[in-house]
């Protein structure tokens, strides 16, 4: 049976969290981005695993947290939407000089074959305490993710730059 675990990935600042919130309001189970949760925790602690301090340490933690998220949602029979996940963490780890993405993901079941990508959207992109990289770095990450998801056999669907309700409708229609 195909996985009901659906990933929202793509460019930082492209509207993933806003879309996830809309899907949650519509009654779907959602899982917040591992990276944001790690940054929040690290900023309250010593900050040793912040992505701009030690990307490899950050990505290892994101991979562990994403695996825990998948396990926690394993019994869910409805669509579950993840703001990033295992693949994004493995791509970050590989970029930081870690293991091959496919090798790192081998122990895990794949997500749903469709992965929804938020494209670079300069008009809404903002940095904040948890997102300190500039748009150029975000676009480079987006390019790495598009390449990795395709290499892993996923079909990427680039979300249109439209309002959040229309984006949610578009995504749900694609899953039918």
């Amino acid at each position: 049976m195909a996985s009901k675990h659906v990933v929202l990935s793509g460019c930082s600042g492209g509207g993933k969290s806003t879309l996830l919130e809309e899907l949650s309001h519509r009654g779907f189970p959602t899982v917040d981005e591992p990276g944001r949760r790690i940054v929040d925790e690290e900023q309250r602690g010593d900050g040793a695993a912040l992505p701009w301090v030690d990307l490899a340490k950050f990505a290892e933690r994101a991979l562990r947290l994403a695996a825990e998220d998948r396990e926690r949602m394993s019994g869910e029979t409805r669509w579950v939407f993840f703001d990033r996940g295992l693949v994004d963490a493995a791509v970050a780890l590989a970029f930081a000089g870690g293991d091959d993405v496919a090798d790192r993901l081998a122990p895990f079941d794949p997500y749903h074959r469709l992965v929804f990508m938020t494209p670079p959207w300069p008009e809404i992109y903002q940095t904040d305490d948890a997102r300190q990289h500039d748009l150029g770095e975000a676009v480079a990450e987006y390019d790495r993710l598009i390449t990795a998801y395709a290499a892993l056999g996923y079909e990427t669907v680039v979300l249109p730059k439209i309002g959040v309700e229309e984006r949610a409708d578009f995504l749900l229609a694609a899953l039918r």
Side-chain angles (χ1 to χ4, degrees):
M1 182 165 97
S3 175
K4 294 275 218 162
H5 290 184
V6 179
V7 175
L8 307 180
S9 184
C11 192
S12 292
K16 289 180 299 301
S17 298
T18 303
L19 178 55
L20 197 77
E21 187 176 311
E22 173 66 20
L23 293 166
S24 178
H25 286 291
R26 293 184 184 201
F28 292 99
T30 60
V31 178
D32 292 334
E33 179 183 350
R36 282 272 179 172
R37 289 181 276 159
I38 293 165
V39 168
D40 287 346
E41 182 181 311
E42 286 294 315
Q43 287 179 329
R44 290 190 306 270
D46 68 2
L50 288 167
W52 51 89
V53 173
D54 187 336
L55 181 58
K57 187 181 282 189
F58 168 82
E60 284 284 359
R61 283 197 53 201
L63 198 64
R64 283 193 306 274
L65 189 53
E68 292 168 10
D69 291 340
R70 287 294 304 277
E71 180 60 31
R72 184 170 44 85
M73 300 308 275
S74 65
E76 184 59 63
T77 58
R78 300 171 290 166
W79 293 114
V80 179
F81 296 97
F82 293 78
D83 186 344
R84 300 197 184 271
L86 290 162
V87 175
D88 293 59
V91 169
L93 186 58
F95 180 69
D99 300 334
D100 175 74
V101 172
D103 290 345
R104 191 46 99 115
L105 295 173
F108 304 105
D109 290 332
Y111 292 93
H112 188 274
R113 69 178 179 79
L114 295 180
V115 174
F116 294 90
M117 304 294 285
T118 58
W121 197 344
E123 294 81 8
I124 67 168
Y125 185 85
Q126 294 179 1
T127 59
D128 58 29
D129 288 343
R131 181 187 305 122
Q132 296 190 4
H133 55 277
D134 65 21
L135 181 60
E137 292 170 296
V139 170
E141 176 192 37
Y142 173 80
D143 292 341
R144 288 190 298 273
L145 290 167
I146 286 278
T147 300
Y149 274 106
L152 293 166
Y154 289 96
E155 181 180 339
T156 56
V157 178
V158 177
L159 292 166
K161 295 177 182 178
I162 54 180
V164 66
E165 295 87 5
E166 293 85 6
R167 255 187 174 185
D169 292 342
F170 175 89
L171 183 153
L172 293 170
L175 289 172
R176 290 192 182 110

